[in-house]
């Protein structure tokens, strides 16, 4: 009995809308009979349907019906027998010849064709030849891909509906659409499809317009020209360098199938001398590990030169079906603990051409397991193509990312050691001779572990992070604020919150001024600061520092900074809407305080709660400060032969200025002893003088950080970020220096 193949509900809606918009009429349906094997295509009832028993007659019959109006052509999906294909040196599918023979009978002829996706997405010669033949006579208006578009056909089989119009002198734009999977929201898909048909450019949710039409030799795989995918491909460079996978690895497939091992009598027991474990696709887990041996594991005698080595990567050749959440390639790195081992014939072996660092190998393995890797590899086929793998772009970590990955790996290993230590203590409870001894052992041995856990939990506490890891001026102000609040809801606590908010913005604004000046960029907000400094009465304040940060966030001059430059993080502070709202609220409160519009004592507790919540939002957004330490250089010794400097410095992190002196090396010979520097995530040092200077305060005798506050005629007055005390500098060199940086 012949079974009927129909368009799915969603596919029928898309095809109908396509004809309404592109052909202004309902089509005649011309289909092969049978469609495939025991299957016959059945068109929707509302359309005239004509079955054609002979596939050779489909092209002339199509031309005949096109003289009467638009046509939906459904050629046979039968494949040629291998013997016929070899004898005729012809294409694998009958529809390839049908499509090559189709001709438009008039300049306004419009035809849609329902085919498997393969001829449109593959780069193979037969597919490219078919596209070339079509392009000689037709323009492609629309190409819509989707799985499950036909009943009685595998739900994973991808189909394509292509709308063609007689070739014109001016090529129209090409619209590509892909039905999402699995189980799409049909209403949303249909609406987006309708919007795409009205577009002349840009991208929607499930489709996009391609204005520059590729040649027919190039496949029209949906992701190949998708603006979102192209952008993500370019973004890979943000990790560091980008290389093709084939530049880093050789690819090899073994011939060790299960059947071949049996025929060659190579199978053996795991305890036999020289037994080697066979890694099969099922042994490569989703998490990037090789599963432990089981009862189903095969063991064989394999020559040493055909075995895996540590550092190899193994990858499943067969791609898994679409999953939720989506997944990339199933791949794993071979470690010493996995050896001796060999790969089966359904596993691809990637062997590094040159030894890779651990962060390199780790990042590549993580990337290959991501959905993006599968997308960038080209059409999603059942079996991975070696050519596609070789051309796959993979990111290489830069120095900062390498360091971060190394630190994360070290942290993970440390956590494992602590876990093992805790397990050992727990399991020893009943190993002691007496309960008293067991009790004492658990309490004593577990003390260090408990303290580690408590210390780790503190890192999730924002206050602890600020007090211990933020630059000294901010950490000091935060500690004072917390202390004032804990003492009770007083005016002093409220004032401390506002002071801390202003000094936070002031400190970050000084960083912006120093960093932009170093790049010879002048911000317009500097003019207002210069005017207030010259006024001699009251220096810049809350609003001025906010203006600096807002200008930095929106300045086009700062859009092309190096990846690790501190300004990239700093610019995000007030770019977040919640932080900007908090800044505005605190600024208004600060302004009210300055103009004696003080909070009534009855309302003070609530005002403190709200203001501190706003301050917390600002500080939360400023967490990047923990990765941008403030350094005071105390000594520099240059070695002319080694071309490096031995630098002694104090890292001013945490809420106290008394910190140990440390040592590092630097390739720079122009570092200043006694000056403050910012160190970025790449380890580069950025001079902050004279925007920020470090001195012993003449009022409280405590080491403090100062910024220019007023510039009267006789002196430059610096103000402390920590406690507001002032420092007068009457040196003409200081005034001249401020003039050089545009503040005078």
């Amino acid at each position: 009995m012949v079974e009927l193949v129909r368009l799915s509900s969603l596919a029928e809606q898309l095809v109908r809308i396509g004809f309404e918009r592109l052909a202004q009429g309902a089509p005649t349906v011309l289909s092969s009979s049978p469609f495939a094997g025991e299957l016959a295509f059945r068109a929707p009832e509302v359309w005239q349907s004509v079955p054609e028993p002979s596939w050779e007659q489909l092209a002339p019959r199509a031309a005949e019906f096109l003289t009467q109006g638009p046509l939906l052509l459904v050629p046979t999906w039968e494949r040629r027998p291998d013997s016929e294909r070899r004898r005729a040196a012809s294409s694998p599918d009958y529809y390839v010849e049908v499509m090559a023979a189709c001709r438009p009978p008039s300049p306004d002829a419009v035809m849609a064709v329902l085919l498997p996706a393969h001829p449109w997405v593959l780069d193979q010669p037969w597919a490219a030849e078919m596209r070339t033949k079509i392009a000689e006579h037709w323009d492609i208006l629309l190409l819509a891909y989707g799985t499950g578009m036909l009943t009685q056909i595998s739900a994973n089989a991808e189909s394509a509906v292509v709308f063609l119009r007689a070739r014109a002198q001016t090529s129209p734009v090409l619209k590509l659409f892909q039905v999402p999977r699995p189980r799409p929201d049909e209403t949303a898909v249909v609406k987006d499809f309708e919007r795409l048909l009205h577009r002349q450019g840009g991208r929607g949710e499930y489709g996009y317009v391609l204005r520059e039409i590729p040649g027919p030799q190039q496949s029209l795989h949906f992701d190949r020209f998708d603006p979102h995918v192209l952008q993500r491909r370019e973004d890979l460079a943000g990790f560091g360098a980008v290389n093709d996978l084939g530049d880093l690895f050789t690819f090899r497939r073994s011939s060790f199938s299960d059947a071949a091992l049996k025929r060659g009598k190579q199978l053996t027991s795991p305890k036999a001398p020289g037994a080697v474990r066979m890694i099969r696709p099922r042994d490569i887990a989703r998490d990037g590990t090789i599963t432990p041996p089981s009862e189903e594991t095969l063991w064989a005698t394999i020559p040493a030169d055909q075995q895996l080595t540590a550092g190899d990567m193994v990858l499943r050749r067969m791609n898994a079906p679409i999953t939720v959440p989506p997944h990339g390639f199933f791949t794993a790195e071979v470690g010493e603990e996995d050896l001796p081992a060999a790969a089966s014939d359904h596993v691809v072996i990637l062997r590094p051409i040159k030894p890779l660092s651990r962060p390199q190998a780790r990042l590549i393995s993580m990337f290959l397991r991501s959905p993006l890797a599968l997308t960038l590899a080209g059409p999603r086929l059942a079996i991975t193509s070696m050519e596609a793998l070789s051309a796959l772009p993979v990111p290489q970590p830069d120095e900062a990312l390498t360091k971060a990955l190394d630190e994360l790996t070290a942290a993970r290993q440390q956590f494992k050691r602590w876990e093992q230590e805790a397990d050992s203590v727990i399991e020893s409870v009943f190993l002691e001779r007496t309960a008293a001894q067991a009790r004492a052992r658990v309490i004593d041995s577990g003390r260090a572990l408990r303290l580690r856990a408590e210390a780790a939990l503190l890192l999730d506490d924002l206050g602890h992070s600020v007090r211990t890891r933020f630059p000294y001026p901010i950490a000091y102000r935060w500690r004072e604020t917390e202390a004032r609040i804990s003492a009770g809801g007083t005016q002093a606590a409220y004032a401390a919150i506002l002071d801390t908010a202003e000094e936070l913005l002031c400190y970050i604004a000084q960083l912006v001024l120093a960093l932009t000046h170093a790049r010879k960029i002048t911000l317009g907000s500097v003019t207002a600061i210069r005017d207030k400094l010259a006024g001699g009465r009251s220096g810049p304040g809350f609003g001025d520092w906010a203006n600096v940060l807002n200008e930095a966030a929106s300045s086009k001059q700062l859009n092309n900074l190096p990846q690790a430059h501190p300004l990239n993080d700093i610019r995000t502070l007030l770019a977040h809407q919640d932080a900007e709202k908090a800044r505005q609220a605190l600024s208004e409160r600060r302004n009210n305080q300055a103009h004696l519009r003080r909070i009534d004592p009855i309302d003070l507790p609530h005002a403190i709660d709200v203001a501190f919540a706003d301050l917390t939002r600002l500080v939360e957004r400023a967490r990047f400060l923990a990765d941008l330490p403030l350094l005071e250089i105390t000594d520099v010794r240059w070695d002319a032969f080694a071309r490096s400097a031995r630098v002694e410095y104090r890292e001013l992190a945490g809420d106290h200025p008394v910190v140990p002196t440390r040592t590092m090396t630097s390739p720079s010979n122009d570092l200043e002893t006694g000056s403050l520097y910012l160190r970025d995530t790449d380890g580069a040092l950025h001079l902050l003088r004279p925007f920020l200077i470090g001195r012993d305060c003449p009022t409280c005798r405590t080491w403090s950080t100062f910024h220019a506050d007023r510039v009267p005629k006789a002196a430059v007055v610096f103000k402390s970020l920590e406690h507001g005390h002032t420092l007068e500098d009457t040196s003409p060199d200081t005034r001249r220096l401020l003039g050089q940086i545009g503040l005078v």
Side-chain angles (χ1 to χ4, degrees), residues 680-691:
D680 65 27
T681 54
D682 273 350
L685 298 178
H686 303 267
L687 179 65
L688 301 180
R689 185 180 70 90
F691 298 95

Side-chain angles (χ1 to χ4, degrees), residues 92-93 132 153 236 243 261 347 373 417 426 430 456 551 583 738:
D93 300 279
T132 301
I153 302 293
L236 289 178
N243 293 103
L261 291 173
V347 172
R417 286 193 290 269
I426 293 170
F430 296 105
E551 184 178 357
R583 195 278 306 168
L738 292 183

Side-chain angles (χ1 to χ4, degrees), residues 195-230:
R195 287 192 291 267
L196 176 67
L197 294 181
H198 286 95
R199 284 180 176 272
Q200 291 302 308
R203 195 191 196 285
E205 185 71 19
Y206 307 119
Y208 59 91
V209 177
L210 196 58
R211 302 182 68 88
E212 296 183 9
I213 312 302
Q217 295 297 320
Q218 297 189 63
S219 78
L220 291 173
H221 173 48
F222 183 84
D223 291 327
R224 185 168 190 167
F225 303 102
D226 184 354
H228 287 182
V229 175
L230 295 179

Side-chain angles (χ1 to χ4, degrees), residues 245-263:
L245 198 61
D247 295 336
L248 305 172
F249 294 88
T250 60
F251 300 84
R252 185 164 61 87
R253 281 181 52 206
S254 77
S255 58
F256 299 126
S257 66
D258 294 359
L261 291 173
K262 290 179 181 178
R263 285 196 305 269

Side-chain angles (χ1 to χ4, degrees), residues 109 180 261 419 494 586 603 606 675 685 710 732:
L261 291 173
E419 181 183 14
Y494 186 69
L586 290 167
D603 300 324
H606 176 69
S675 290
L685 298 178
R710 286 172 290 134

Side-chain angles (χ1 to χ4, degrees), residues 34 91 143 145 148 224 239 258 353 374 476 491 549 584 669:
S91 56
L143 188 52
Y145 296 107
R224 185 168 190 167
F239 290 104
D258 294 359
I353 297 173
L374 205 56
Y476 178 92
Q491 285 288 351
L549 298 180
Q584 291 175 0
N669 65 349

Side-chain angles (χ1 to χ4, degrees), residues 633 636 645 647 664 666-673 675 677 685-686:
I633 304 299
V636 180
V647 181
M664 65 178 176
S666 171
S668 176
N669 65 349
D670 60 353
L671 298 178
E672 300 178 357
T673 299
S675 290
Y677 285 82
L685 298 178
H686 303 267

Side-chain angles (χ1 to χ4, degrees), residues 10-22 112 141-146 149 161-163 175-180 185-199 204-209 222:
L10 177 58
E12 183 177 334
Q13 291 183 73
L14 299 183
V15 172
R16 176 179 53 78
I17 294 170
F19 276 106
E20 289 175 356
R21 300 291 189 276
L22 303 176
L141 303 178
L142 170 70
L143 188 52
Y145 296 107
M149 295 180 72
V161 177
V162 57
F163 279 80
K175 300 175 181 181
L176 289 95
F177 190 82
Q178 186 169 57
V179 177
D185 178 348
E186 290 193 7
T187 302
V189 172
V190 170
K191 287 183 178 179
D192 193 66
F193 184 72
E194 291 177 324
R195 287 192 291 267
L196 176 67
L197 294 181
H198 286 95
R199 284 180 176 272
E205 185 71 19
Y206 307 119
Y208 59 91
V209 177
F222 183 84

